[in-house]
Amino acid sequence: MSFQFTIKNNKNTALFLGILAALFFASTFVLNRIMAVSGGSWQWTAALRFLWMLPILLVIVYVRGNLAPLFHAIKSNLLQWLLWSTTGFGVFYATLTFGASFGPSWLVASTFEFTIIAGMFIGPLLEKKGHRKGISKASLLFSIIIFLGIVLMQISEAQATSFKSMLLGTIPVLIGAIAYPLGNRKMMQIAGNKLDAFQRTLGMTLCSMPFWILLSIFGYIDNGLPTESQLLQTLLVAIFSGVIATLLFFSATDIVRTDPKALAAIEATQAMEVIFTLLGEIILLHAALPNSYSCMGIGLVVIGMILHSRSN
């Protein structure tokens, strides 16, 4: 009985951390939209977040005395770290900031919730043959509900924008929604139980640096140096989303790393980003309330997330 209570308590803790992470992650979508509307370069918006994160995380991990084990882990498997860090952080965030230039932050956030479905299918594919666990029918149903909600919101937005803008604002975000769980889960496999959430976040940030430096060069060629407001806003994104939210989310996934159903539920908590982002855009950008189709879509996304959580 005590063991079962501990497991349930751990899952509840992980779910709470996942929802809290969603709150801080939402700041990304709102601030990225603010920078896009004000004419900020999407390349700088993406790269600066991780350039800011690097020294912050270095100090945290150094103070905790965990730098040496991290550097040893990276050195022993450098190519894998470079590949999956660039996928999980580089491809994920570059596509997200690019998409923010073509649609409201709540729409980008809702489209990114495709990561819930992507993560559910990616998990079994990454397992070794003979150890793969089937996808829960209930989880699949709840994820379909979330996906239908996303489709409804896309239909609503399509009525007010061009087809080209829809594609540019949707396809890159969908790519990012696949890259994030793919990179995160591969790095969980590579790091195993040897590294904590702080070390893994720093390691992925450090190993994605070649990508960010290259993107910064393109940003400078296209738009020159970033503005003062963009520097400040990306620092806020780095602290709220890059450090706080990522550490909360990685901690949550680490708690249930051996339970595919619970892991899917933790990833599903990120659907709350839609609500938090919508509220943030209304308060900070004085955005109009979404229409009835969008509200129905948001409702389905949240219902799907709740069902995911309750089933686990």
Side-chain angles (χ1 to χ4, degrees):
M1 178 69 71
S2 176
F3 177 68
Q4 290 179 340
F5 176 78
T6 300
I7 292 176
K8 184 176 180 180
N9 188 51
N10 285 342
K11 288 181 180 180
N12 288 338
T13 299
L15 285 170
F16 173 75
L17 291 176
I19 294 172
L20 195 58
L23 173 62
F24 284 98
F25 271 134
S27 66
T28 293
F29 301 104
V30 178
L31 289 170
N32 283 354
R33 184 58 180 169
I34 291 173
M35 286 183 276
V37 170
S38 62
S41 160
W42 70 268
Q43 294 102 322
W44 279 120
T45 296
L48 282 170
R49 164 180 163 171
F50 288 88
L51 292 173
W52 281 121
M53 281 173 59
L54 184 59
I56 296 172
L57 289 168
L58 270 171
V59 170
I60 293 173
V61 177
Y62 173 77
V63 170
R64 290 165 59 89
N66 292 330
L67 276 179
L70 171 62
F71 290 150
H72 176 74
I74 294 174
K75 184 179 178 181
S76 65
N77 209 346
L78 180 60
L79 291 179
Q80 291 289 309
W81 272 89
L82 289 171
L83 172 61
W84 297 114
S85 296
T86 300
T87 301
F89 277 5
V91 176
F92 144 65
Y93 199 63
T95 53
L96 210 63
T97 52
F98 180 82
S101 301
F102 297 93
S105 56
W106 65 264
L107 183 64
V108 174
S110 63
T111 303
F112 183 69
E113 299 318 313
F114 183 76
T115 192
I116 296 167
I117 300 172
M120 186 176 59
F121 284 97
I122 287 170
L125 291 176
L126 296 181
E127 297 291 334
K128 294 180 180 179
K129 289 184 178 180
H131 294 84
R132 292 177 179 171
K133 298 179 181 179
I135 298 172
S136 163
K137 291 181 179 179
S139 294
L140 180 60
L141 174 62
F142 304 151
S143 295
I144 289 173
I145 292 173
I146 292 171
F147 183 70
L148 289 175
I150 294 171
V151 171
L152 265 179
M153 285 183 280
Q154 296 293 345
I155 292 173
S156 170
E157 184 65 16
Q159 298 173 353
T161 188
S162 68
F163 183 68
K164 180 181 178 181
S165 293
M166 276 295 299
L167 290 179
L168 291 175
T170 301
I171 293 178
V173 178
L174 290 175
I175 293 172
I178 296 171
Y180 188 65
L182 176 60
N184 182 30
R185 291 193 181 208
K186 283 296 294 185
M187 286 313 307
M188 278 197 292
Q189 287 185 341
I190 293 168
N193 294 319
K194 299 176 182 178
L195 304 176
D196 61 24
F198 292 90
Q199 291 170 300
R200 185 154 56 93
T201 306
L202 172 59
M204 291 180 69
T205 301
L206 184 62
C207 290
S208 64
M209 274 302 121
F211 179 88
W212 299 122
I213 292 171
L214 183 62
L215 194 65
S216 298
I217 293 171
F218 282 111
Y220 177 75
I221 293 172
D222 290 344
N223 302 279
L225 293 172
T227 63
E228 289 185 10
S229 63
Q230 194 170 23
L231 286 169
L232 175 60
Q233 288 162 343
T234 52
L235 174 60
L236 293 176
V237 172
I239 295 171
F240 293 150
S241 182
V243 177
I244 298 175
T246 301
L247 290 173
L248 287 169
F249 183 70
F250 279 7
S251 297
T253 55
D254 281 344
I255 290 172
V256 295
R257 62 190 303 144
T258 59
D259 187 337
K261 285 182 66 179
L263 194 56
I266 298 307
E267 288 174 340
T269 61
Q270 300 313 289
M272 288 301 294
E273 292 171 10
V274 182
I275 302 300
F276 296 139
T277 301
L278 177 59
L279 293 174
E281 183 158 326
I282 291 172
I283 294 170
L284 297 177
L285 290 173
H286 308 291
L289 291 172
N291 61 27
S292 57
Y293 283 105
S294 296
C295 288
M296 288 171 60
I298 292 171
L300 286 175
V301 168
V302 174
I303 289 170
M305 185 278 294
I306 293 172
L307 291 174
H308 254 301
S309 301
R310 289 182 64 85
S311 71
N312 289 283

